[in-house]
Amino acid sequence: SDGVLVLQAYEKWGDAFVDHLAGDFAFVLWDGRRRRLLAARDRLGVRALFHAEAGGSLLLSDSLDWIAAHEATDSALDPRWVADFLTIGHSRDFESTVWRGVKRLAPAHLPKAGAVQTASRRYWRLELGEPLHLPNAAAYGERFRDVMTSAIRDRLPSGRVGISMSGGLDSTTLAACTVAATGDPSRVIAECTHFERLMVDEEKHYSTLAARHLGIEIVHTALDDAAYDPLWRTRSIDTAEPCVGALVAEPERRMSRAQAGLAPVWFFGEGPDNALGFERDAYFRWLARRRDWRGLMRAALGYLGTKDGWGETLRRYSGLCTPDVPDDPEPPWLAPDIAALARREDTAPPPHPWHPRAIASFSSAIWPALFANFDVDESQAPLVWRHPFLDLRVLGFLLAVPPVPWARRKLLLREAMRGRLPREILERNKTPLATSPFASPVATHGLPPLARDGRLEAFVDADKLPEAASAGPLLSRLIAVHALDYWLARHPRRR
């Protein structure tokens, strides 16, 4: 079992044992001979671990609720966490939880405890050296397929495996690689969630093309009636922390149970959007600073050879292109001290010299927040979510390929999947959702009245809250207020 492997690794390598572990994990280990306790969380934070010092005891668990329920745990709310939740939807700090007295173990950290004194160290960090140069496009495609095959085989169940598959390039690539790794299309089933009425959505069409090409079964699930549950406030929805998912928790629970009936393990295709960030200017500047004129010429020729859409480029440089839409404005209903916390500046590590945004994106606390949503799914139904693109072999390769030209429109994936996916998918541009799925149903049904728990006033001036129909670009922030209010009502103040 995984637990026995961890114990054997610790016996063989001592404190360095965690360097030899691969995969998604969180565990606590007690060394009775040396009277010491160790705990660890995987490198990207896929699995969660929490800790608190309460009443002279050290509490560790993968359940935040279990620690928070301990009578000696500090039950005050963390205003920094709440400020982040009300403005961007998740904490900006790796270690914060909604409870001031309970902390998350940060990804890639290893705390050690003797008695109740704890200290932790970071045992791994994402590092990237020189770009990886291979002789030709075929070599890049072959290397990608090799590392993906290894990552997928390490995560396959004995029976069927599910793929959360849209009609986009990332998830269809994951499906194609899974079929190749299993050698049996009948072991692979895909589910495509899509919209039929709320917005224009072509995912059903493109996912069907991919499934037919790969010879796998596909299930299509329309989300129009699951985008918002008008009765969400009457449900008994218990989450460890405030979560906007409360508004769709009941439909999500039904979908999770349906997925569990199809396969015990499901793959999710997040990762390439971040790892294959097209950072042309940073890469060119880095090559120029090094006076690597040969590399600069090679990158420029590669860029020119794959560049299309010159009209848009000319408009951008001539000032005729529509400027980017600014971020959502600060909600006017925030309490002054909460607004100040939301505006705080975080200390950022020095940027990577030639792949700054990509490397920085994997140092963001948004990843543990994303994984927490999968934890909720797993608590609702007997299924497990796994993330092959985030395997360190795959992630390291995606980051190491020169961003020019291989990250442009994810050229690497398109080359690797040539002949393995339909041409329509390989030539398709990335297509984000046309609008928020909440917008139309919330405007139709409205939001239930607030319970207005006494603690809410510490964070929000409820008298300044607009009606949902008039919230406009601040709708998601308004929904966060309602989710916080609902969570507070279900977590009454402890004496």
Side-chain angles (χ1 to χ4, degrees):
S1 69
D2 289 347
V4 171
L5 288 173
V6 169
L7 292 172
Q8 290 178 344
Y10 176 65
E11 185 174 17
K12 179 174 179 62
W13 290 297
D15 285 2
F17 77 115
V18 72
D19 298 331
H20 300 270
L21 301 179
D24 310 332
F25 57 80
F27 63 82
V28 179
L29 183 154
W30 170 250
D31 184 339
R33 290 174 298 184
R34 301 171 66 184
R35 303 291 299 170
R36 60 200 297 256
L37 180 144
L38 297 93
R41 190 177 180 193
D42 65 78
R43 292 158 180 81
L44 295 180
V46 176
R47 297 298 169 187
L49 197 62
F50 305 93
H51 61 94
E53 295 184 16
S57 297
L58 173 64
L59 310 177
L60 295 107
S61 177
D62 60 352
S63 169
L64 176 58
D65 282 335
W66 181 82
I67 295 182
H70 194 280
E71 60 182 9
T73 302
D74 181 358
S75 61
L77 301 178
D78 185 340
R80 290 164 61 97
W81 192 100
V82 176
D84 290 345
F85 176 73
L86 291 176
T87 50
I88 62 173
H90 64 87
S91 175
R92 288 153 50 186
D93 302 323
F94 280 105
E95 298 186 355
S96 297
T97 75
V98 68
W99 304 108
R100 187 173 61 190
V102 186
K103 302 299 180 183
R104 282 179 172 81
L105 181 63
H109 274 67
L110 180 75
K112 294 185 290 186
V116 296
Q117 299 299 313
T118 61
S120 67
R121 67 175 177 87
R122 186 168 190 160
Y123 67 84
W124 176 88
R125 66 180 64 249
L126 183 60
E127 295 179 343
L128 181 61
E130 295 287 310
L132 175 65
H133 294 291
L134 298 178
N136 50 47
Y140 281 102
E142 183 179 357
R143 179 75 65 87
F144 170 76
R145 293 190 296 271
D146 286 346
V147 294
M148 278 297 291
T149 297
S150 298
I152 289 169
R153 284 176 176 167
D154 285 348
R155 289 163 172 80
L156 283 174
S158 57
R160 298 184 90 186
V161 62
I163 311 287
S164 177
M165 191 177 82
S166 68
L169 182 62
D170 297 352
S171 59
T172 53
T173 294
L174 179 57
C177 292
T178 303
V179 169
T182 60
D184 182 1
S186 68
R187 287 184 59 190
V188 182
I189 183 169
E191 181 187 39
C192 173
T193 57
H194 66 285
F195 294 96
E196 294 181 347
R197 304 186 311 275
L198 288 182
M199 65 186 76
V200 176
D201 187 349
E202 297 183 297
E203 302 310 310
K204 183 176 181 179
H205 167 70
Y206 285 102
S207 63
T208 300
L209 290 179
R212 288 174 179 168
H213 187 91
L214 298 172
I216 63 176
E217 181 182 350
I218 187 166
V219 175
H220 291 100
T221 303
L223 294 178
D224 304 82
D225 295 326
Y228 175 64
D229 177 12
L231 301 178
W232 69 274
R233 193 95 200 192
T234 67
R235 312 287 189 188
S236 297
I237 302 165
D238 289 313
T239 56
E241 294 178 297
C243 177
V244 295
L247 282 71
V248 293
E250 184 57 32
E252 289 281 355
R253 180 184 303 167
R254 293 195 297 268
M255 287 191 288
S256 295
R257 291 174 178 171
Q259 286 179 310
L262 297 173
V265 171
W266 282 78
F267 289 167
F268 195 72
E270 197 67 39
D273 278 342
N274 296 76
L276 292 176
F278 183 54
E279 303 188 71
R280 178 198 59 196
D281 294 346
Y283 188 58
F284 282 169
R285 286 195 298 266
W286 176 74
L287 291 171
R289 286 196 303 269
R290 288 162 49 106
R291 299 181 181 275
D292 184 356
W293 310 124
R294 181 178 179 182
L296 186 60
M297 180 63 69
R298 178 173 53 194
L301 290 174
Y303 175 67
L304 293 173
T306 60
K307 172 69 176 172
D308 52 15
W310 286 102
E312 180 182 345
T313 300
L314 292 173
R315 286 194 302 273
R316 182 170 66 250
Y317 283 101
S318 64
L320 300 178
C321 192
T322 303
D324 292 337
V325 178
D327 293 336
D328 292 345
E330 180 180 287
W333 52 77
L334 294 180
D337 54 342
I338 296 300
L341 286 174
R343 291 192 296 266
R344 72 187 187 274
E345 293 187 6
D346 297 323
T347 302
H352 188 269
W354 57 270
H355 226 347
R357 290 200 308 272
I359 295 297
S361 72
F362 286 100
S363 300
S364 168
I366 195 172
W367 287 98
L370 171 70
F371 298 136
N373 293 329
F374 292 104
D375 290 342
V376 173
D377 277 357
E378 294 177 0
S379 71
Q380 305 286 351
L383 83 169
V384 175
W385 282 98
R386 293 176 181 162
H387 311 273
F389 279 125
L390 299 180
D391 180 282
L392 295 184
R393 293 163 292 188
V394 177
L395 183 58
F397 175 70
L398 293 178
L399 288 168
V401 299
V404 182
W406 298 108
R408 187 177 183 280
R409 296 185 68 241
K410 300 179 188 172
L411 177 63
L412 173 69
L413 301 191
R414 298 178 196 274
E415 288 292 336
M417 292 295 105
R418 193 173 301 279
R420 293 170 170 82
L421 285 173
R423 179 176 54 82
E424 294 91 335
I425 291 176
L426 296 179
E427 295 177 355
R428 187 187 184 200
N429 290 322
K430 184 173 178 61
T431 309
L433 290 177
T435 184
S436 167
F438 279 128
S440 177
V442 169
T444 300
H445 299 285
L447 290 166
L450 294 170
R452 297 187 71 156
D453 180 284
R455 292 169 291 176
L456 183 66
E457 276 64 37
F459 310 112
V460 170
D461 183 348
D463 293 330
K464 293 183 178 179
L465 295 174
E467 295 293 329
S470 61
L474 289 174
L475 177 61
S476 61
R477 306 286 72 88
L478 176 63
I479 287 173
V481 173
H482 281 259
L484 173 63
D485 176 74
Y486 177 79
W487 184 88
L488 290 171
R490 295 193 62 81
H491 291 76
R493 191 194 311 269
R494 293 211 310 265
R495 294 182 180 178

